[in-house]
Amino acid sequence: MRHKDPHPPVERLVLTDVMAALSDPLRIGVVRLLADERERTFGEFDAPVAKSTLSHHLRTLRAAGVTRTREEGTRCYVRLRRADLEARFPGLLDAVLAAAGRDAVGDRIRLQAEG
Amino acid sequence: MRHKDPHPPVERLVLTDVMAALSDPLRIGVVRLLADERERTFGEFDAPVAKSTLSHHLRTLRAAGVTRTREEGTRCYVRLRRADLEARFPGLLDAVLAAAGRDAVGDRIRLQAEG
DNA sequence: CCAGATGTTCGTGAACTATCGAACATCAAC
DNA sequence: GTTGATGTTCGATAGTTCACGAACATCTGG
């Protein structure tokens, strides 16, 4: 379960890469679910796509520096790099989250129904 | 010189389309040059791409609702839909412009050297 | 060891994007 | 009308992205 693409360091976050990463409804949906700063495992996401497709999107977010991934046992925990994004692109993430919230962008991605 | 894709009305601007339109350095460069609210003709942009490529990028911006195009004679005037973008996605454009400015994104696109 | 859970990677096909040059359309000016 | 300026559109190519299932790797637990 080794990850290939490393996390880009804060100072090397690229605006166009972040914009591209956030130009997909599924990925926006994931980011919205991560907006509460809590860590989630990949499996917690209930998305209408194949497992491998979700993995691909999470890799895209990671490669762009939007999220940070941590492996623990056989699980992958992912969280939003909110502070890093804010440091490099002030206001950007908040604007996207607010707009996405109002427009219900990525609403098809939810958290697994938990007991 | 008739344009094909119409301008989307304000209320139908799509976040992911705007994000995608702004995920390209050349298009960000154009948007930065338009940030002063002045109208420009296509020919005023000095970009290191073919005429048809620039036309394509300007069409992308227009289709996403980032810019508005007006034809006058044989010229095309383009300007930023700043107010519309602000109304639908508050803070987004400003955040992008600020970040792009600091990182010099799209600096290869300039205005023609004028006499 | 074997089975199950969790993700990754690979191979594939479909769809989209960027780029160019060439051809075209439109208008202005002579 | 002819010519030149300004953009658009077309066709081709190359590269990228998205999606899937299948196969694989890793860890956990019997």
Side-chain angles (χ1 to χ4, degrees), chain A residues 93-105:
Chain A
L93 184 62
D94 287 342
V96 171
L97 282 174
R102 277 192 286 107
D103 284 18
V105 178

Side-chain angles (χ1 to χ4, degrees), chain A:
Chain A
M1 203 177 4
R2 202 86 266 138
H3 287 150
K4 260 185 179 171
D5 324 332
H7 301 91
V10 194
E11 67 273 13
R12 229 167 301 165
L13 294 184
V14 175
L15 177 63
T16 50
D17 291 352
V18 171
M19 296 297 286
L22 297 179
S23 69
D24 180 283
L26 195 147
R27 290 193 291 261
I28 292 226
V30 168
V31 168
R32 286 181 62 200
L33 292 177
L34 293 174
D36 63 3
E37 293 282 18
R38 290 180 53 183
E39 260 184 346
R40 303 286 180 185
T41 63
F42 288 21
E44 287 184 69
F45 298 109
D46 181 17
V49 294
K51 206 172 38 161
S52 53
T53 302
L54 179 60
S55 182
H56 154 67
H57 283 297
L58 287 166
R59 182 215 295 259
T60 300
L61 286 172
R62 178 177 60 238
V66 175
T67 58
R68 191 178 297 279
T69 295
R70 175 175 70 86
E71 302 165 32
E72 182 174 316
T74 171
R75 305 250 172 113
C76 275
Y77 288 90
V78 58
R79 63 194 155 83
L80 198 52
R81 294 179 64 178
R82 207 188 244 275
D84 288 348
L85 290 168
E86 187 62 22
R88 288 283 284 119
F89 314 124
L92 180 58
L93 184 62
D94 287 342
V96 171
L97 282 174
R102 277 192 286 107
D103 284 18
V105 178
D107 258 7
R108 296 183 59 198
I109 293 81
R110 311 224 182 79
L111 292 176
Q112 290 291 356
E114 32 194 320

